[in-house]
Amino acid sequence: HERMEKLVSRCASVISLLPQTMHVEVAKMCISHKVPLVTASYVSPEMRKLDQAAKDAGVPILCEMGLDPGMDHMSAMQVID
């Protein structure tokens, strides 16, 4: 958690291909550090609850920016490999 927080604080923006269950925590870090976030996952109820905090902080959070089903993850792995 601390390592990810430190990484987020240094970023100009975050593109998360982490599992959807981790995006709320990443989004909270991004809001805290005023870092824009893009995820490939659908908007969960938990993410929706962060909408006003993100707006108040002036932080764009863009969800559902991937390709279905899982093509975004497969493409990312090709780049990583």
Side-chain angles (χ1 to χ4, degrees), residues 1 4 9 12 14-15 20 24 28 31 39 43 52-55 58-59 63 68-69 71 75 78:
H1 182 79
M4 190 181 315
S9 72
V14 172
I15 299 171
Q20 183 270 337
V24 171
K28 288 178 181 178
I31 292 168
T39 77
V43 179
Q52 192 58 53
K55 287 178 180 175
V59 177
C63 300
D68 287 327
M71 291 173 60
S75 298
Q78 284 183 338

Side-chain angles (χ1 to χ4, degrees), residues 1-9 18 22 25-26 29:
H1 182 79
E2 287 180 28
R3 188 171 180 199
M4 190 181 315
E5 182 97 30
K6 191 173 183 178
L7 288 170
V8 168
S9 72
L18 293 170
M22 299 179 76
E25 198 61 36
V26 174
M29 291 178 197

Side-chain angles (χ1 to χ4, degrees), residues 2-78:
E2 287 180 28
R3 188 171 180 199
M4 190 181 315
E5 182 97 30
K6 191 173 183 178
L7 288 170
V8 168
S9 72
R10 296 181 190 171
C11 292
S13 62
V14 172
I15 299 171
S16 178
L17 294 176
L18 293 170
Q20 183 270 337
T21 56
M22 299 179 76
H23 285 157
V24 171
E25 198 61 36
V26 174
K28 288 178 181 178
M29 291 178 197
C30 288
I31 292 168
S32 173
H33 294 287
K34 299 187 183 299
V35 175
L37 171 64
V38 176
T39 77
S41 297
Y42 296 108
V43 179
S44 68
E46 294 82 13
M47 285 292 282
R48 195 173 306 282
K49 290 178 186 174
L50 298 176
D51 182 60
Q52 192 58 53
K55 287 178 180 175
D56 291 347
V59 177
I61 296 180
L62 304 174
C63 300
E64 302 183 33
M65 293 289 133
L67 300 171
D68 287 327
M71 291 173 60
D72 46 0
H73 295 274
M74 293 180 348
S75 298
M77 287 308 300
Q78 284 183 338

